[in-house]
Amino acid sequence: MGWLLEICDITKSFSGVPVLNGVSLSLQAGEIHALVGENGAGKSTLMKVVAGLHQPDAGELRLDGNPTRFRSPHEALLAGVAMIHQELLPFLDLTVAENIFMGIEPVSGPGWIDRPALHRKTVELLDRLGLKIPPDRRMRELRVAEMQTVEILKALAHNARLIIMDEPTSALTDREAGALFAILNDLRQRGASIIYISHKLEEVFRLADRVTILRDGCHVATHPIGGITTEALISLMVGRPLANRPRSAPGRAAPPILSVRNLALGRRFNNVSFDLAPGEVLGIAGLMGAGRSSLLSALYGLDPADSGQISIGGRALKISSPRNALDAGIGLVTEDRKVSGFIPLFGPRQNMTLAALRRWCRFGWIDQAAESAVADEQIRLFGIRASGRDQPVLRLSGGNQQKVVLARSMLAGPGVLLLDEPTRGIDIAAKEEVHRIVSDLARNGTAILLVSSELPELLSLSHRLLVMCEGRITGTLDPRTTTQEEILTLAMPG
Amino acid sequence: MSPKPATPKSRTVLRLLERFGLVIVLLIIGTALTLLQPQFLTSANLLNVARQISINGILAVGVTYVLLTGGVDLSLGSIVALTGVVAATFAHPGEWPVLVPIALGILSGACCGALNGLVITRGRIAPFIVTLGMMTLARGLALLLSNGRPVSNLGTGFLAVGGDFLGFPVQILILLAIAGASRLFLSNMRLGRHIFAVGGNEEASRAAGLNVAGIKTFAYTMSGGLAGLAGVMLAARITTGQPNAGVAYELDAIAAAVIGGTSLSGGVGGIGGTLLGALLMGVINNGLDLLNVSSYYQQIIKGIIIIGAVWLDRRQRN
Amino acid sequence: MSPKPATPKSRTVLRLLERFGLVIVLLIIGTALTLLQPQFLTSANLLNVARQISINGILAVGVTYVLLTGGVDLSLGSIVALTGVVAATFAHPGEWPVLVPIALGILSGACCGALNGLVITRGRIAPFIVTLGMMTLARGLALLLSNGRPVSNLGTGFLAVGGDFLGFPVQILILLAIAGASRLFLSNMRLGRHIFAVGGNEEASRAAGLNVAGIKTFAYTMSGGLAGLAGVMLAARITTGQPNAGVAYELDAIAAAVIGGTSLSGGVGGIGGTLLGALLMGVINNGLDLLNVSSYYQQIIKGIIIIGAVWLDRRQRN
Amino acid sequence: DRPGTPEQPAKPGTKPIVIGVSLMNLASEFIGMINQSIEARAKELGVQLIVTDAQRSPEKQVQQVEGFIARKVDAIILNPCEVEASSPAVTKALAAGIPIINVNSETRTAPTAFVGSRDEESARIAMDYIATRLNGHGNVLMMQGFLGQAAQIKRDQGAREVLKSRPGLKLLADQTAEWDRAKAISLMENWIQAHGTNIQAVFAQNDEMGMGALLALEQAKLKEKVIVVSVDAISDALQAVKAGRLDATVFQDARGQGSTAVDTALSILRKQPFSPQVFIPFQLVTRTNISNYTK
Ligand SMILES: Nc1ncnc2c1ncn2[C@@H]1O[C@H](COP(=O)(O)OP(=O)(O)OP(=O)(O)O)[C@@H](O)[C@H]1O
Ligand SMILES: Nc1ncnc2c1ncn2[C@@H]1O[C@H](COP(=O)(O)OP(=O)(O)OP(=O)(O)O)[C@@H](O)[C@H]1O
Ligand SMILES: [Mg+2]
Ligand SMILES: [Mg+2]
């Protein structure tokens, strides 16, 4: 049987730095093909070449055996190739329906948008994923996870033969991800092909027919999913087997450093109370929209709470801006790195030192040498793949961007660290690295509040686990003894 | 935003306020003016205000297209002068049918706009620079074509554009027609929505397969074409094609759009707000003249009122 | 971009070109001018050019601060007029020590700028509107303070600002000092770094604990203060405080910055480029005068050259 | 229904006369002087004024006159921005039956009365002075006002008439400095580079530019060799003539124009005889007669 898509010997470099070295890959019709590799391996770049966003320096694409070259995403879409990008690309001030059908709006008469049809088709699509987002809500009012589902619907709306999904579930909880997988299976049944990029290996094993591994811009191997184990996959990605991380030690009994009482903000969360001790990792589980992100940004002063008390080390504080929080020793890694995480044109160096720049200054004058030394050390510590400490973070791969943001929060040296989906989009080796860093920080006395949609991560890192549902804390669990079922029962509304 | 949920009714009122904050501001200013000088609320004066805002209104509608894509157009004032001269050259009595100068005026404006758009998109040069260049260039052309002198002696058919029709100034009718059509276009046509998309997120537009360069060029062409129309209207109103007309008109036009809620970074705004913005500026000008405020103080007060109005509006929307 | 990696040496040259594309453009234009009119390359003429760009240069450096934060300042020209009038009022011979008018001029400019910044950040109003309001307001104040008349009869100490020092025009020395200090400040001081951060991503800057409102206000204050300095320099150069001076100077200043690579959307650019931009504009003006190009054509050519220069520059950087 | 205010000498019970004034540009010193004399004369005569500033925009000027018509003023004094473009203002006022007096400059449509001077004449006087000083032979530079404005066009016209009749005078270059002193300095600096010692005289179409040319020439130490003449007789220029720096300026009687305009308006309203065209002549001001113009 013929190939739907053949990627032959693609080479691509950015300003002289090679990113892809003769990568080849073939795809059958009706197959889900997983693409895995470390952060910066070149997965997104390869897929952008396929989708017409980048032009390859050398090599060719064959669609149905015919050499093709997409000069723009438009041409790719016309040929039935759609891509969901790793970085969300929402039109924030347009409605959900307009976002989904951008460029392919149903029209009646010349160019006149058929609003009823648009609404109907959007509802149909939303129903397929079991979502209840109003089609005429503006994207700006959605949360990151909802935006990500809208991105997925965009690709579905194009009825594409080949859908490329670049980490579509990085912000989704298991429930939404489950609904997505059902759709993907359905699409496969109907003969569509899917290239699926993910750092969540269990998804890969659950979903894919075959898997291709990229490392340093080179094709390493392609295997049928039945012919490879998780460990083998990891060592192909990383180039070495991963050491097993010891389970974190339980938190010490110490007076709480952070105490929260009856905190409330509008309809986002209310009556939230908990204590956090130095050296403790407190996990928060919940479904999409449970109010976890809102809680963290309130604690950090980005979106201050309406009522309730926050005290640090026994002293009540009013936190109305991130500056207050930082001065009180609270740090935050935000959920949406592109919007509120980094300065796109700053390099890793300038981004990492931004929150605590004072430390490398004398009389307001930056000690560039000291700053660079710190930056290089962090780049090494986090294994950030960048052409230098001043390469604009915008041009780093998604996972490396996340590491930069993490490094910045750590450099501010907070006593309380709030982490909102800290391992979103980072590869398995780096994830292990982040987990190690979190444990180390806790061991050294930092109090950590961890929000994550990955239950295994929460279960293995936390000393205590809160569950939130519809803005309220519905339970406190011991991660060593609890089960996923117990957590889900508390997290489900009703 | 209060934590306690508002009753449905008061929420409707709040939403109206939010959408039409500027209407409230206008009503406040209007009431104050009427109390201070009853002359303000006469039909003759209100018609005056309408007449006075029509040219700025047309320019503001045009520049709204460009602002929505995230661009800017500084060449409007010079295009007004150039197209006025072009139109006037063909509007001498008995030479050409009246539609010829009107069409040529609009067309030459659209050409300038299209050129702006092409250079911006092909050359990847900041709209500020390109339209600033066009500002100088079009002014030079206007002077060259007219040899630096006003082009006068225009036919009555052409001058009718500046006159009345059934007791209504023609200019207002033109403004209303253009604004109405633009509103429908921007909110209901595909191309209209794509303009918002490009301004909202250019990268995403490209990824969604939109022809970003084409859409931008279209917006600049509209802006230039409407400036051409404004040039024709101005020439008819001042009965001459004046090569030095329209200086700094672009600032007023952009101000009207921005006061009306259109964002300079693109993707947000619309024609309704732009019209309200133009109206607000017209009312302030008219009111200060009516109140006989001396020229120097007028400028000071005008600056403060405009900032204050926008502040009130944004506060209301919160 | 060629796929084969360049040799280290040619890469260095390429990088220089990339960073200094405008230098090449300047060299091309300079060579062309020298061939057409050898007078261009005399030290007397080059000093002229330097003198002529100094005021625009100072304004452009000031507005670069604001542009880097992602804002814009339209009030510069009016602030130049206002501060010129203020300084001139205190610069009559024998009344005050010469530092008084200079300090008052700079201070009043800084106040206008600070007011801009406060209203923009506290009121959350678009910089375009606020500085447009300040443009009208400051102009009105300038006219009011001077009663619409130039303030003349200035002391020789004050006029020395417009003169020479050891054969070098004082204005150029001021420009170089200001530009040098600003360059160091922006690239080496914490606050300078923060200005880039705020313009690069305001939300992320807030999340990193920066005092965004304070940083922006600082930028507007710098811009206003430097406009005040420019006002003082202009008053000294034209030997009078003119309430109607400086019209549209802001456009030239912004143009210089943008030609020099500073982005209107913030976070990108710098003083070096801004100076080159101002120099390019000065050279074009000077060259066209030297070549005796007639007024109408000057405008047309100027528009084309500016667009062309930016296009060449951007192409070289690719 | 306007209550008469006590200080007005008008007979009790009668409405005071209201005159609408639309000025071309109050930011200009010269127009400011006209305005002051209008206001002073109106106060003497107990006339109410509504003063508006068109800020150089003929469109605004038409709007202001429309406003006056809507407010039913008794008479209008118009200081037109443009010959042609401000004409609709005159037409509209006449159509509404309101007398309109043009002050300082003309419009194509004839108003009820005109008080002012002919701009061409000022340039002619200035150029004639240059010709005389140079004995009819030499190189002249001309600084133009804002291109396309009535005053620029007419002063250009007047200057060129003289140049045509004096073939010995050669126009080396002409260029706009937009009425602006700073622009004039830069332009003169560039001209000095281009033409050097070939320059014998500079005619600037207003005093601001004349002062600019003067400053640049003085800085280049060339003033001794070049004659500079300009128009308007603003106070800076008069001072410069007095000090022997500026060779000559051309005086236009702002005060005479303003007060005569008010007088004419009252004559019309009182149905007294008036002259429909009052020309107030320009006068050349040099060092010899400067004492007549400075107090
Ligand atoms: N536009 C660009 N300019 C310069 N370098 C780039 C650009 N885009 C990507 N790169 C570089 O190419 C390399 C591969 O990036 P890519 O985004 O393809 O990685 P990835 O495999 O998708 O990683 P991740 O899992 O983190 O998303 C990275 O080192 C990145 O810095
Ligand atoms: N800016 C906002 N204005 C009003 N309501 C909001 C806003 N942001 C979030 N909400 C609402 O608050 C609730 C909690 O949202 P939040 O983003 O905190 O959830 P979450 O648990 O972090 O979800 P996720 O796992 O997707 O991050 C949701 O019902 C959401 O609709
Ligand atoms: Mg990627
Ligand atoms: Mg969240």
Side-chain angles (χ1 to χ4, degrees), chain A residues 256-261 273-276 299 309-314:
Chain A
I257 177 165
L258 173 69
S259 295
V260 174
R261 290 289 172 271
S273 307
F274 62 87
D275 289 321
L276 180 61
L299 289 174
Q309 293 95 46
I310 303 169
S311 28
I312 293 282

Side-chain angles (χ1 to χ4, degrees), chain B residues 1-225:
Chain B
M1 264 181 280
S2 72
K4 63 173 195 298
T7 64
K9 197 163 162 209
S10 77
R11 278 194 66 189
T12 319
V13 176
L14 269 176
R15 285 191 105 183
L16 269 175
L17 273 184
E18 183 182 301
R19 277 221 55 184
F20 298 107
L22 270 186
V23 175
I24 316 288
V25 174
L26 260 171
L27 286 180
I28 297 173
I29 295 183
T31 315
L33 280 175
T34 313
L35 291 177
L36 290 167
Q37 167 63 284
Q39 192 67 39
F40 175 76
L41 208 66
T42 59
S43 68
N45 188 54
L46 294 182
L47 272 185
N48 264 350
V49 172
R51 213 192 323 257
Q52 288 162 15
I53 66 166
S54 55
I55 286 173
N56 185 31
I58 297 258
L59 290 172
V61 168
V63 86
T64 301
Y65 283 85
V66 167
L67 296 178
L68 284 177
T69 68
V72 74
D73 192 343
L74 298 178
S75 61
L76 295 179
S78 296
I79 294 183
V80 164
L82 174 62
T83 55
V85 166
V86 168
T89 309
F90 290 85
H92 298 307
E95 286 186 1
W96 298 90
V98 63
L99 277 182
V100 171
I102 296 179
L104 283 180
I106 297 175
L107 206 70
S108 51
C111 285
C112 292
L115 195 61
N116 275 337
L118 286 174
V119 176
I120 288 167
T121 52
R122 305 275 141 195
R124 289 155 200 249
I125 312 179
F128 187 92
I129 290 294
V130 175
T131 58
L132 189 77
M134 178 59 82
M135 170 180 173
T136 330
L137 199 156
R139 178 74 58 190
L141 273 181
L143 286 164
L144 195 67
L145 285 182
S146 64
N147 201 14
R149 283 148 197 259
V151 181
S152 52
N153 180 25
L154 311 185
T156 48
F158 182 78
L159 294 180
V161 176
D164 289 1
F165 178 75
L166 303 178
F168 253 93
V170 176
Q171 307 166 64
I172 305 173
L173 302 177
I174 297 180
L175 171 62
L176 290 179
I178 294 287
S182 291
R183 206 178 129 53
L184 284 179
F185 173 79
L186 283 173
S187 54
N188 287 311
M189 302 279 286
R190 272 181 68 173
L191 187 50
R193 298 316 292 170
H194 291 178
I195 287 178
F196 280 91
V198 167
N201 190 337
E202 191 169 328
E203 203 186 336
S205 304
R206 202 163 281 128
L210 305 191
N211 176 359
V212 173
I215 293 164
K216 283 189 178 177
T217 307
F218 170 81
Y220 285 94
T221 310
M222 279 305 282
S223 173

Side-chain angles (χ1 to χ4, degrees), chain C residues 6 24 31 49 55 76 81 86 92 120 123 135 137 143 192 204 217 228 230 238-239 253 257 264 301:
Chain C
I24 315 287
T31 314
V49 173
I55 287 173
L76 296 178
V86 168
H92 298 308
I120 288 166
M135 169 178 170
L137 200 156
L143 286 164
T217 306
I238 66 177
T239 69
L264 280 169
I301 295 174

